[in-house]
Amino acid sequence: MNVDLHCHSSVSDGTLAPQTVARRAADHGVDVWALTDHDEISGQAAAHEAANSLGLTYVGGVEISVTWAHETVHILGLHIDYRNQVLHEGLVQTRRCRTDRARAIGRELETVGIKGGFEGALALAGNPDMIARPHFARYIVEQGVCQSVPEVFTRYLARDKPGYVPMRWAHLGDAIGWIRAAGGVAVVAHPARYKFTELEHDAFFDEFRALGGGGIEVVCSSHTAQEIVRYSETARKFGLKGSRGSDFHSPEESNAELGRLPPLPDAVTPVWSDWF
Ligand code: AMP
Ligand code: MN
Ligand code: MN
Ligand code: MN
């Protein structure tokens, strides 16, 4: 069974509509699929309908931006009821500061000679409430300042670069609470991306577990074979189930492709084990 529980549409920072992502998942052999847009569930009904018509098993999803200590951490909410009001209101709050931050990014970019960033990014955002750094990156590539989206991040948008504006996202406990209120399971996305020391790693996962978190993305497109082993061990140590997700955003921008991932190791209990 090919399970892919992490990807994005134009409702957040992906480039394809939810229906188009569903079609692509089916074309790439995915059997069980979740669309997990950042901080936004307005694409869920369309994704669900498209999945049904294509014979995919659909799992409601979202990826919530959280600030823990000094790190931005992404928490997937999987198997959620996307009509849930508590989750909906939490996400409205989480999105609220995005437009102000985007204006600030636009101003920072002006100081290094990149004009019209805010308007340019906004024009590329499929959803004006969900303006995100990839929209700036695409605009800057369009302007010919950089060759690729990753290059824009390296030069302008990553932490400590001239266009970086720090944010305080949701609290970990709140995000887990909204996901659980919607009947879902909270899963730590792409764990290798966080700059945690060994101590911070353990402190984070202890707290995540204590707050009701249930899973960790053991297999994702950015993990090496070694990282899959490492986070299988984290899953075991903290009693978490394992998830698998491509984090697909766009056919042009990365080598992440829907459904194209190693299998979840046998030793890890799949997060989907009690859904079907
Ligand atoms: P935001 O939520 O607006 O801070 O944007 C975060 C998004 O930017 C992530 O979900 C990724 O899609 C993208 N991103 C973050 N870092 C990089 C990077 N180094 N290269 C390419 N895309 C990135
Ligand atoms: Mn993204
Ligand atoms: Mn993420
Ligand atoms: Mn993602």
Side-chain angles (χ1 to χ4, degrees), residues 37-258:
D37 276 307
H38 297 284
D39 306 326
E40 175 64 278
I41 45 181
S42 66
Q44 292 295 303
H48 195 167
E49 251 173 61
N52 284 348
S53 71
L54 291 160
L56 296 175
T57 299
Y58 191 68
V59 174
V62 67
E63 183 177 16
I64 305 181
S65 312
V66 159
T67 301
W68 186 84
H70 298 293
E71 188 62 78
T72 297
V73 175
H74 286 175
I75 304 295
L76 295 163
L78 297 177
H79 211 242
I80 52 164
D81 170 7
Y82 53 81
R83 296 169 207 85
N84 181 272
Q85 205 51 32
V86 173
L87 175 63
H88 174 79
E89 279 160 22
L91 296 177
V92 168
Q93 268 180 51
T94 305
R95 286 195 299 273
R96 195 162 281 150
C97 42
R98 276 196 180 263
T99 302
D100 286 343
R101 174 223 200 194
R103 286 185 202 282
I105 293 175
R107 287 193 295 273
E108 292 297 318
L109 290 172
E110 296 262 350
T111 66
V112 291
I114 296 170
K115 295 193 171 36
F118 174 70
E119 294 75 15
L122 186 60
L124 293 175
N127 170 2
D129 285 353
M130 251 317 296
I131 183 163
R133 284 183 290 165
H135 302 119
F136 283 91
R138 288 171 195 146
Y139 170 76
I140 291 168
V141 171
E142 261 184 27
Q143 295 299 297
V145 178
C146 291
Q147 298 295 308
S148 70
V149 164
E151 185 192 341
V152 183
F153 272 88
T154 305
R155 285 175 57 188
Y156 295 106
L157 296 177
R159 185 154 51 188
D160 302 325
K161 300 296 161 149
Y164 183 74
V165 174
M167 278 285 278
R168 273 222 73 89
W169 300 106
H171 293 290
L172 181 62
D174 289 344
I176 295 171
W178 305 331
I179 291 164
R180 287 169 59 108
V185 54
V187 173
V188 178
H190 41 64
R193 199 166 313 159
Y194 313 124
K195 294 184 182 71
F196 288 155
T197 62
E198 208 52 48
L199 269 176
E200 286 166 342
H201 168 278
D202 285 8
F204 172 76
F205 281 100
D206 264 335
E207 190 171 331
F208 176 72
R209 189 77 187 117
L211 291 168
I216 176 171
E217 207 169 46
V218 168
V219 177
C220 64
S221 54
S222 56
H223 278 178
T224 62
Q226 263 181 335
E227 286 167 340
I228 292 176
V229 172
R230 165 155 206 225
Y231 292 103
S232 297
E233 175 52 22
T234 302
R236 189 201 59 75
K237 184 169 171 186
F238 294 91
L240 300 170
K241 290 182 173 149
S243 191
R244 178 176 187 263
S246 62
D247 206 5
F248 171 83
H249 281 71
S250 160
E252 286 86 32
E253 281 173 20
S254 74
N255 38 27
E257 184 53 80
L258 287 152

